[in-house]
């Protein structure tokens, strides 16, 4: 029970924190809960894509840096962030309760934390307490940052119609870029031939730098929202869809 709580609590804590920042209207809790559940379900298509691809971590000595780049960005990051993006775009984005740009962040984080919670349960079940603690400080905040970086431009896209396609694409690609970079620096450390040329310390620094930049950019986006004095978008929308 303790391990299950350790796996579930971080994602819920992030959701509550982001929800508390929405000073222009809390929206419908029902839609937020559904978004979290759909985020959990989004692990299924991502897992199917990854099962169809060759996992470079199984026999790391057989693979080059190019293989790790492909697996980290095109297989893992794109399948996971793409699945989350589809939930955000197809479920939350059209809702009338999606009333201002920050709602992109709110719903993005709910979806992302649903996804991350399923991952967390799996990893903690397989590897135990130490993995749960390490993911609490690294993987969960990383997923939260990726969700903010995706949700911020997606939220703007709904209200900046002339730029909507570019902003939607930006939301997806930025999340894939940071997620893929973070995973690449971690995955490639398993290849001894590569670590003879690039030290594990340097690769770990690359992972940490990616994490740090993503979190800083995410916090900047949150501060931009907090600095606003008045909600300029759709303030009078109904709380419920018709």
């Amino acid at each position: 029970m303790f391990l299950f709580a350790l796996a579930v609590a971080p994602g819920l804590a992030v959701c509550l924190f982001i929800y508390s920042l929405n000073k222009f209207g809390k929206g419908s809790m029902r839609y937020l809960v559904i978004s979290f559940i759909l985020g959990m379900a989004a692990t299924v298509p991502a897992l199917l894509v990854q099962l169809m691809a060759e996992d470079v971590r199984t026999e790391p000595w057989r693979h080059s840096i190019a293989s790790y780049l492909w697996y980290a960005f095109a297989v893992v990051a794109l399948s996971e962030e793409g699945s989350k993006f589809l939930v955000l775009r197809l479920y939350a984005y059209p809702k009338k309760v999606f009333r201002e740009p920050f709602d992109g962040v709110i719903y993005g984080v709910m979806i992302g934390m649903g996804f991350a919670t399923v991952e967390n349960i799996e990893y903690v079940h397989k590897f135990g307490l130490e993995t749960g603690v390490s993911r609490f400080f690294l993987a969960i905040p990383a997923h939260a940052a990726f969700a903010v970086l995706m949700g911020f431009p997606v939220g703007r896209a709904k209200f900046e119609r002339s730029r909507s396609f570019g902003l939607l694409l930006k939301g997806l690609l930025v999340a894939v870029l940071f997620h893929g970079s973070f995973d690449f620096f971690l995955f490639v450390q398993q290849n001894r031939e590569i670590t003879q040329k690039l030290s594990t310390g340097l690769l770990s620094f690359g992972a940490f730098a990616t994490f740090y930049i993503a979190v800083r950019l995410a916090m900047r986006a949150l501060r931009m929202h907090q600095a606003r004095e008045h909600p300029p978008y759709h303030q009078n929308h109904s709380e419920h869809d018709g």
Side-chain angles (χ1 to χ4, degrees), residues 167-238:
L167 287 168
L168 288 169
L169 185 61
K170 177 182 178 180
L172 173 61
L173 293 182
V174 168
V176 169
L177 173 64
F178 279 101
H179 191 156
S181 299
F182 181 71
D183 283 352
F184 168 76
F185 286 116
L186 295 177
F187 293 166
V188 79
Q189 293 184 49
Q190 300 177 27
N191 188 307
R192 291 183 180 180
E193 292 185 5
I194 294 175
T195 55
Q196 288 176 354
K197 301 174 183 177
L198 298 172
S199 70
T200 55
L202 180 62
L203 294 170
S204 296
F205 176 79
F208 178 78
T210 302
F211 169 81
Y212 178 77
I213 294 170
V215 170
R216 284 294 299 269
L217 290 175
M219 294 302 295
R220 179 185 176 188
L222 297 178
R223 285 195 298 270
M224 288 173 63
H225 167 74
Q226 291 297 97
R228 287 171 47 207
E229 296 181 356
H230 303 289
Y233 298 101
H234 294 220
Q235 187 175 17
N236 297 319
H237 272 187
S238 170

Side-chain angles (χ1 to χ4, degrees), residues 92-103:
Y93 188 88
K95 299 296 183 188
K96 289 182 180 179
V97 291
F98 197 120
R99 297 176 302 172
E100 59 119 358
F102 192 68
D103 285 336

Side-chain angles (χ1 to χ4, degrees), residues 144-166:
F146 305 152
V148 171
L149 294 176
M150 177 189 291
F152 195 73
V154 169
R156 289 176 56 198
K158 184 164 183 177
F159 305 100
E160 299 178 31
R161 298 299 176 85
S162 63
R163 303 177 57 206
S164 61
F165 178 80

